[in-house]
Amino acid sequence: MDEHNNRCMVCFLVITFQTAVVPVSASSGTGAAVKPIQVLLNEKPVAMPVAPIKIEGVTLVPFRALFDALGFEVSFNQENQAKAIVGTRKDVTIMLQIGNLTAQVNGKQLKLRTAPFIQAGTTFVPLRFVAEATNKDVTPVGNSIIIRNKSGMWFLTDEYPEPDRGFSNKPHFTDYAGEDQEGNVFVYWTETVGKVDHIYASIMKDLKWQVRDKEIATTDSLLGEVKPIKLIQGNTLVVRDKQGLRFIDFAADGSVRRNEYLFKSTVLTKESVTSLRTSEGGRGVVYNRGDGKSVLYLFDDLEHHITLNKELSTEADFWIYDGAGGSLAEVNGEQLSLYDLNGNLTSSSSGKPNIFNATIPKGAKISNIVYDKGLIYYLFNHRTGGYTDIETVQYVITPNNGTGTSVNVSFKQDYLYHMGFQVANNWHSDAGIYDGELRVFCTQVFQPANWFYIGVMEMD
């Protein structure tokens, strides 16, 4: 009798285990199995050594594959006589124990619906719990589970019931909306009265307007005389007036910190400007002054500008200046071209010009291009899907032996992120990376209201 009971107990345990713990898959309704559910991180498949397992609605996956994909450093601690898995990344530390329904995130104890366990030598952990502990979204989509960086919108409008949340109490077509390097958001617009341009700004910090509708500068209006030159980046304004090319730097309260002429000339010629980025994260301007020469002004060191004996294209979205690496890169839409510091187009050792093209996804359109720490971020709007994908381009320069314009360049494009909203068409909307977040600044006018929103996505 005892032997019979023991055999029944073993049989019951096996049946219970097999019906509660199953590989995650779907059925066609005819008994034919389909592929197991795939786990993706920002649209990239995560390689799993074995299929995920589902227990009472909780999906568990091999811990090492998930932790590695999320960028955790893994260690093992002995905790209460049981081995604990510890994962650390940035400011998040997770500790899980086999068979224990209590986990720790940054020292705080949290309950699990299903405990980690070991099966056939593989340790399984709850996918959603681990991913959400890193502040990511987890979304089941058909036969997939997608882990994505969080994205959303900070939405501000001056419509009722919050009339003071918009950047102004009057509708304006803005010249620019963007952020300076201290995290202050600037929204600019211009009102022309006679021959004078009145420049206004509203300035926000931590989602609160510190300044609204403030006139911060006046300049000569050259409308009808030459093509207007006005370039705004964060808290800096570069504008051509009747005296020359003028540089104005604003403080967070809208006051002027610096106001000077980069180049003085009362002769109006075919001049033009475009943005300049530096490999160290600085900003500047490329100025074609109409005499066949270009001047590079770096805002951190205006006294030591660089003059080239040829003109760089100011049709580019921006140029990247790398003084240490001895290069200038032109970013013009999907095309990147590499020049030396004399403005000469470089070529590879085989003689092929160093001109590369990013691939635009089918049905998408570039909304913004961002440069940060050696990477170029392309933001693609998908018009029919209502979302924005982000891909990166990295170019690595390897100088060849000898002198001249021969350098080898590796050019790599890689999918990076998916933003859960679409960047609107705007006048001079800007985008940048600040405090570990990608931010897109958008303004729209719907009479009689202003709409202003900042699309935000956390970066790894």
Side-chain angles (χ1 to χ4, degrees):
M1 183 70 177
D2 289 342
E3 184 178 349
H4 176 73
N5 284 341
N6 286 340
R7 283 200 301 269
C8 288
M9 183 177 289
V10 171
C11 182
F12 174 76
L13 289 172
V14 170
I15 292 172
T16 301
F17 182 78
Q18 288 181 339
T19 55
V21 182
V22 295
V24 179
S25 60
S27 172
S28 65
T30 62
V34 297
K35 292 181 179 179
I37 285 181
Q38 187 177 41
V39 177
L40 299 99
L41 176 60
N42 288 318
E43 274 53 43
K44 291 181 181 177
V46 178
M48 297 285 175
V50 295
I53 287 175
K54 182 173 282 188
I55 301 177
E56 297 178 353
V58 177
T59 300
L60 296 100
V61 298
F63 100 90
R64 176 66 75 172
L66 180 62
F67 275 46
D68 286 351
L70 292 173
F72 280 105
E73 292 185 5
V74 178
S75 60
F76 299 93
N77 289 347
Q78 201 73 21
E79 187 81 10
N80 297 327
Q81 313 245 324
K83 184 177 284 188
I85 304 164
V86 180
T88 304
R89 70 185 290 273
K90 292 186 180 179
D91 56 351
V92 178
T93 298
I94 299 178
M95 187 170 73
L96 301 166
Q97 278 185 289
I98 303 302
N100 195 332
L101 285 171
T102 300
Q104 290 187 25
V105 178
N106 291 338
K108 182 179 179 180
Q109 292 191 344
L110 299 171
K111 287 296 182 182
L112 300 172
R113 289 175 57 193
T114 303
F117 62 89
I118 298 174
Q119 178 174 291
T122 298
T123 300
F124 288 83
V125 295
L127 180 151
R128 180 180 291 276
F129 179 87
V130 174
E132 290 183 347
T134 66
N135 203 35
K136 295 189 184 297
D137 286 322
V138 179
T139 307
V141 179
N143 219 38
S144 300
I145 298 175
I146 305 177
I147 305 169
R148 289 178 175 142
N149 286 39
K150 282 187 178 293
S151 61
M153 288 192 292
W154 297 336
F155 193 71
L156 300 107
T157 175
D158 60 3
E159 282 197 327
Y160 179 84
E162 297 179 281
D164 294 329
R165 282 177 60 81
F167 63 86
S168 172
N169 285 327
K170 297 180 180 179
H172 301 286
F173 287 105
T174 59
D175 296 323
Y176 172 92
E179 194 161 356
D180 68 8
Q181 292 172 307
E182 284 76 48
N184 301 296
V185 177
F186 285 73
V187 182
Y188 298 85
W189 64 96
T190 302
E191 293 182 3
T192 301
V193 180
K195 289 290 185 177
V196 178
D197 285 340
H198 299 261
I199 300 172
Y200 292 82
S202 292
I203 305 169
M204 173 190 290
K205 180 73 172 181
D206 298 328
L207 289 183
K208 294 182 180 179
W209 293 111
Q210 309 299 316
V211 174
R212 291 179 84 241
D213 293 297
K214 181 175 181 177
E215 183 175 339
I216 57 175
T218 59
T219 65
D220 301 323
S221 177
L222 301 179
L223 285 173
E225 298 183 48
V226 295
K227 182 179 178 180
I229 292 178
K230 183 187 294 180
L231 180 68
I232 306 172
Q233 299 181 74
N235 62 320
T236 58
L237 167 67
V238 176
V239 61
R240 177 61 156 109
D241 64 17
K242 291 182 178 179
Q243 303 302 313
L245 190 68
R246 186 176 166 194
F247 171 83
I248 309 175
D249 176 85
F250 300 104
D253 62 359
S255 62
V256 175
R257 292 191 299 199
R258 192 168 181 178
N259 183 4
E260 63 186 79
Y261 284 95
L262 303 179
F263 178 74
K264 295 197 75 171
S265 174
T266 58
V267 179
L268 300 175
T269 59
K270 293 182 179 180
E271 304 165 43
S272 57
V273 296
T274 195
S275 298
L276 182 68
R277 303 285 189 264
T278 72
S279 56
E280 293 83 15
R283 298 177 177 181
V285 63
V286 175
Y287 174 46
N288 287 348
R289 55 191 198 191
D291 59 358
K293 298 181 179 181
S294 284
V295 185
L296 311 183
Y297 292 100
L298 307 180
F299 294 160
D300 293 334
D301 189 12
L302 289 174
E303 287 72 21
H304 299 93
H305 54 269
I306 303 162
T307 302
L308 306 181
N309 290 318
K310 57 178 59 181
E311 289 192 347
L312 302 179
S313 171
T314 52
E315 297 299 318
D317 290 278
F318 55 86
W319 286 78
I320 302 169
Y321 171 75
D322 183 357
S327 69
L328 281 164
E330 177 190 8
V331 179
N332 190 358
E334 65 270 23
Q335 183 172 286
L336 182 142
S337 306
L338 189 69
Y339 295 76
D340 64 16
L341 292 182
N342 294 315
N344 301 308
L345 181 65
T346 66
S347 58
S348 66
S349 55
S350 64
K352 183 179 179 181
N354 284 321
I355 300 175
F356 308 91
N357 286 280
T359 302
I360 300 178
K362 186 177 180 181
K365 183 179 180 180
I366 298 173
S367 64
N368 297 88
I369 308 175
V370 176
Y371 175 76
D372 185 70
K373 298 176 183 177
L375 294 175
I376 301 170
Y377 297 82
Y378 281 89
L379 280 64
F380 298 108
N381 266 354
H382 292 257
R383 296 293 176 188
T384 56
Y387 59 88
T388 297
D389 279 339
I390 302 168
E391 301 202 23
T392 61
V393 165
Q394 184 173 27
Y395 63 100
V396 179
I397 303 170
T398 307
N400 299 330
N401 294 327
T403 59
T405 60
S406 178
V407 294
N408 286 328
V409 181
S410 64
F411 182 86
K412 180 184 179 183
Q413 180 171 350
D414 194 14
Y415 183 88
L416 192 64
Y417 298 119
H418 171 97
M419 299 179 80
F421 57 87
Q422 191 174 95
V423 179
N425 286 331
N426 297 278
W427 292 95
H428 308 290
S429 73
D430 192 31
I433 296 173
Y434 311 91
D435 295 330
E437 294 179 337
L438 175 64
R439 302 179 189 170
V440 186
F441 305 91
C442 301
T443 61
Q444 294 175 304
V445 175
F446 297 100
Q447 297 284 359
N450 296 301
W451 295 67
F452 178 57
Y453 69 83
I454 305 173
V456 181
M457 191 197 64
E458 297 181 358
M459 307 286 284
D460 286 324

